[in-house]
């Protein structure tokens, strides 16, 4: 995003990103003006162009950075997980929920402002989303192959799981009666009960 080198330029670019997240989350991309953004950062509107090319590029950069972080951190979490598909699914669920709760503004913008991207930017982000969905599908496919999971359509199952897990962001409140860990455990049990092949014994 930044076009000015040096510590000051990097600090200003980071401040623009934080302000952009806050204003888009609060007012929506269409309602946020570059003048509002500059005022939030404490610089002249004309100075924004030293750091961003257009308002559209700012939105794209925000969503792209979110997706890059999500993909990279998911890869790291799965790489450290045990080999069984069940354990990898547990890991995916925990990472997805915790990441999304900690990045609530990023997630909201990535989901609800995707429609505001122009066609080339939209295509790039959709491809990244498909790559993320593919990671969960691969876990489910592996579980079906080993007999751990009884799933008739892993693609639709993956979409359903992701919708449920991401939906936590819309209602979870830190001051609520359930902790993050309890939310993770609750959703893990729901997903696993829907995926694991029936055995003589219940889930551990």
């Amino acid at each position: 995003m930044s076009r000015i080198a040096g510590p000051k330029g990097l600090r200003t670019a980071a401040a623009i990103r934080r302000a952009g997240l806050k204003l888009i989350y609060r007012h929506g991309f269409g309602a946020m003006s570059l003048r509002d953004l500059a005022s939030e950062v404490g610089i002249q509107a004309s100075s924004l162009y030293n750091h961003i090319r257009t308002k559209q590029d700012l939105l794209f950069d925000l969503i792209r950075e979110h997706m890059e972080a999500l993909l990279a951190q998911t890869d790291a979490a799965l790489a450290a997980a045990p080999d069984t598909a069940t354990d990898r699914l547990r890991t995916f669920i925990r990472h997805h929920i915790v990441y999304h709760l900690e990045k609530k503004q990023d997630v909201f913008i990535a989901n609800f402002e995707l429609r505001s991207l122009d066609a080339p930017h939209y295509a790039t982000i959709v491809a990244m989303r498909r790559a993320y969905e593919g990671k969960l599908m691969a876990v489910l496919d592996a579980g079906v192959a080993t007999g751990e999971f009884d799933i008739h359509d892993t693609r639709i199952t993956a979409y359903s799981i992701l919708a449920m897990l991401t939906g936590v962001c819309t209602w979870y409140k830190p001051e609520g009666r359930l902790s993050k860990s309890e939310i993770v455990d609750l959703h893990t049990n729901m997903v696993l009960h829907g995926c694991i092949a029936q055995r003589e014994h219940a889930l551990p």
Side-chain angles (χ1 to χ4, degrees):
M1 183 186 300
S2 174
R3 297 169 57 190
I4 294 182
K8 184 176 180 180
L10 292 175
R11 287 195 299 271
T12 302
I16 291 171
R17 184 188 183 284
R18 289 193 300 271
L21 273 175
K22 183 173 77 171
L23 292 175
I24 295 172
Y25 178 76
R26 183 180 297 170
H27 305 296
F29 177 72
M32 185 199 76
S33 71
L34 291 181
R35 186 176 299 278
D36 292 336
L37 179 60
S39 176
E40 184 73 23
V41 178
I43 61 176
Q44 296 295 318
S46 58
S47 298
L48 284 173
Y49 296 104
N50 293 320
H51 304 278
I52 62 173
R53 292 179 296 276
T54 65
K55 179 180 168 183
Q56 170 70 206
D57 284 341
L58 171 63
L59 178 63
F60 173 64
D61 284 342
L62 291 174
I63 299 178
R64 177 182 53 79
E65 289 170 9
H66 156 69
M67 289 304 306
E68 286 175 346
L70 178 60
L71 286 164
Q73 292 179 31
T74 300
D75 282 341
L78 290 174
D83 290 335
T84 69
T86 301
D87 284 330
R88 289 173 65 79
L89 182 54
R90 289 181 188 274
T91 297
F92 185 95
I93 294 166
R94 175 172 294 279
H95 178 266
H96 183 96
I97 291 177
V98 172
Y99 179 94
H100 281 65
L101 289 181
E102 292 178 350
K103 300 284 187 178
K104 188 171 182 177
Q105 290 185 351
D106 304 68
V107 171
F108 180 89
I109 291 170
N111 287 334
F112 290 97
E113 295 294 352
L114 181 65
R115 62 190 176 183
S116 299
L117 292 173
D118 61 25
H121 289 159
Y122 179 90
T124 297
I125 299 302
V126 167
M128 297 175 80
R129 288 165 66 102
R130 294 289 178 264
Y132 184 68
E133 293 161 358
K135 296 182 188 302
L136 176 55
M137 290 177 201
V139 173
L140 298 179
D141 285 336
V144 171
T146 61
E148 293 175 64
F149 300 155
D150 181 13
I151 300 173
H152 298 295
D153 190 318
T154 54
R155 180 178 296 274
I156 298 303
T157 300
Y159 292 158
S160 298
I161 291 171
L162 289 171
M164 179 175 68
L165 299 183
T166 304
V168 175
C169 290
T170 65
W171 55 261
Y172 176 76
K173 289 181 171 46
E175 67 275 14
R177 62 185 178 84
L178 296 179
S179 67
K180 287 182 183 178
S181 293
E182 289 172 320
I183 293 295
V184 168
D185 290 343
L186 187 152
H187 283 78
T188 298
N189 287 334
M190 284 194 292
V191 171
L192 291 183
H193 274 92
C195 292
I196 288 183
Q198 295 299 310
R199 306 292 192 212
E200 293 183 7
H201 304 290
L203 285 171

